[in-house]
């Protein structure tokens, strides 16, 4: 014997609405802790969990001069002039293969490994930040690092600035 129970439409609507609300509420919480995060983490899941490998690279030649990428010791320091590059390079591929983002805290270094972290300190103010080396440069005599627009702004550099750069290791 088959029994057919007729469920009123308003009950179906209420059940579907409840399930939808429950699923939306679950999506707004941090999956690991079950609590709502205070600050949104805008990094991709790959960036959050998998450090990128360091890439020293092969020797390369720019304007007739050879550069030999190296693996410096943790704590290695260079002092010199920093410059920055910005919006006109936005979206162009960096030496690490990712598109250049002027709003990211990144930098270009001639020889230190790509995907490494460095601390850049502006000597006149002692303000410092950490950036990720994702490109090669600067190829102007006397300069040791090119900063993204955001990194230069964070240090208060408008044009050129004297800095100390310290190698921190893998990003």
């Amino acid at each position: 014997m088959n029994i057919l129970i007729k469920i009123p439409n308003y009950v179906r609507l209420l059940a579907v609405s409840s399930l939808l609300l429950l699923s939306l509420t679950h999506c707004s919480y941090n999956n690991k802790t079950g609590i709502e995060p205070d600050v949104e983490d805008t990094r991709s899941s790959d960036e959050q969990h998998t450090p990128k490998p360091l890439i020293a690279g092969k020797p390369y030649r720019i304007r007739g001069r050879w550069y030999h990428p190296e693996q410096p010791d943790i704590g290695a320091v260079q002092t010199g002039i920093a410059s920055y590059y910005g919006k006109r390079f936005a979206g162009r591929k960096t030496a690490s293969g990712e598109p250049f983002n002027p709003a990211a805290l990144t930098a270009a270094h001639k020889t230190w490994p790509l995907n490494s972290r460095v601390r850049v300190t502006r000597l006149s103010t002692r303000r410092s930040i950490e950036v990720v080396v994702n490109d090669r440069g600067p190829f102007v005599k006397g300069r040791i690092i090119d900063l993204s627009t955001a990194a230069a702004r964070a240090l208060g550099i408008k044009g050129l600035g004297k800095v100390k750069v310290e190698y921190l290791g893998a990003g």
Side-chain angles (χ1 to χ4, degrees):
M1 169 195 246
N2 290 337
I3 301 176
L4 182 64
I5 301 174
K6 184 163 176 139
I7 300 174
N9 285 339
Y10 73 89
V11 174
R12 287 185 202 157
L13 183 61
L14 182 62
V16 169
S17 298
S18 297
L19 287 172
L20 182 61
L21 183 60
L22 182 62
S23 68
L24 289 174
T25 304
H26 178 71
C27 290
S28 70
Y29 289 90
N30 181 317
N31 290 335
K32 291 181 184 168
T33 62
I35 58 171
E36 193 170 352
D38 292 331
V39 178
E40 183 180 351
D41 190 344
T42 59
R43 296 176 300 168
S44 72
S45 60
D46 288 342
E47 291 173 324
Q48 291 177 31
H49 305 293
T50 308
K52 295 179 181 176
L54 292 177
I55 303 168
K58 297 177 182 177
Y60 62 98
R61 192 167 124 177
I62 301 287
R63 297 184 196 132
R65 181 167 179 205
W66 282 94
Y67 296 91
H68 300 275
E70 61 181 324
Q71 178 64 57
D73 293 331
I74 301 291
V77 171
Q78 293 179 342
T79 303
I81 302 297
S83 52
Y84 73 95
Y85 58 130
K87 294 179 182 173
R88 74 180 178 139
F89 295 100
R92 292 188 188 177
K93 198 178 254 191
T94 62
S96 67
E98 63 190 273
F100 174 64
N101 179 358
L105 295 177
T106 59
H109 193 280
K110 293 177 202 123
T111 59
W112 285 0
L114 298 173
N115 301 324
S116 62
R117 290 179 308 114
V118 299
R119 179 178 295 114
V120 182
T121 304
R122 185 173 184 195
L123 296 178
S124 63
T125 62
R126 297 288 180 214
R127 190 182 304 173
S128 69
I129 60 168
E130 284 186 22
V131 298
V132 174
V133 174
N134 70 344
D135 207 359
R136 293 293 181 212
F139 301 110
V140 177
K141 187 175 181 178
R143 297 185 193 171
I144 63 168
I145 197 165
D146 262 341
L147 302 169
S148 66
T149 305
R153 187 174 291 134
L155 291 172
I157 294 175
K158 297 176 183 174
L160 304 174
K162 187 150 183 162
V163 296
K164 174 178 86 169
V165 181
E166 179 183 2
Y167 181 75
L168 302 175

